[in-house]
Amino acid sequence: ARTVNPTAVSNGDRTNAAFDDLGRLVNTPYQVRDLVSTAQAQTATLAEVSLIAGVASTFHDLVNVVAANTTGAAVRVDIRDTAGGGNVLTIQLAANETKVIPLPVPIPQNEAGNAWAIINGGSGDVSGTNIVVSALFIKHV
């Protein structure tokens, strides 16, 4: 049984299963702590903005998104798993609305090493709009 964290081991070393003091298996959803990343970006224009930079030979799979519209007009935000690529998630936001989107299954990144990006999905004059996106990613190396 464990009541404190075990000592970290080196990559490739063996470990024992961990159970709490009542015999329940200790389990962490999605990924180990070292392979979880957070990101935040905002946009007030129609230009694409990087949400999280790409890392060579690493997939960043999207687990959770919080999108906030801090303006008085409805907006749309598109999320892409590569800069200049197609949309993998579109979120409609009413005026001054925040949406929390926990994904029951992570959205897998299409290609390793690419940056994720957001873009205001509107058209025409979007001056005065502001979208803030925060996201949680798990890394697969």
Side-chain angles (χ1 to χ4, degrees), residues 23-111:
R24 298 173 293 201
L25 179 64
V26 177
N27 188 345
T28 301
Y30 299 119
Q31 191 57 284
V32 296
R33 188 176 200 272
D34 296 345
L35 297 175
V36 175
S37 293
T38 60
Q40 185 179 62
Q42 70 179 39
T43 183
T45 69
L46 292 173
E48 186 176 82
V49 176
S50 178
L51 180 58
I52 190 169
V55 176
S57 302
T58 301
F59 289 98
H60 283 95
D61 293 346
L62 184 61
V63 178
N64 192 356
V65 177
V66 178
N69 175 10
T70 63
T71 59
V75 295
R76 185 182 95 212
V77 61
D78 295 327
I79 300 175
R80 301 172 172 175
D81 69 348
T82 185
N87 301 335
V88 296
L89 184 64
T90 295
I91 305 167
Q92 292 289 133
L93 295 166
N96 299 305
E97 180 182 32
T98 298
K99 285 187 179 175
V100 179
I101 303 171
L103 301 165
V105 176
I107 295 176
Q109 188 172 29
N110 192 37
E111 290 184 39

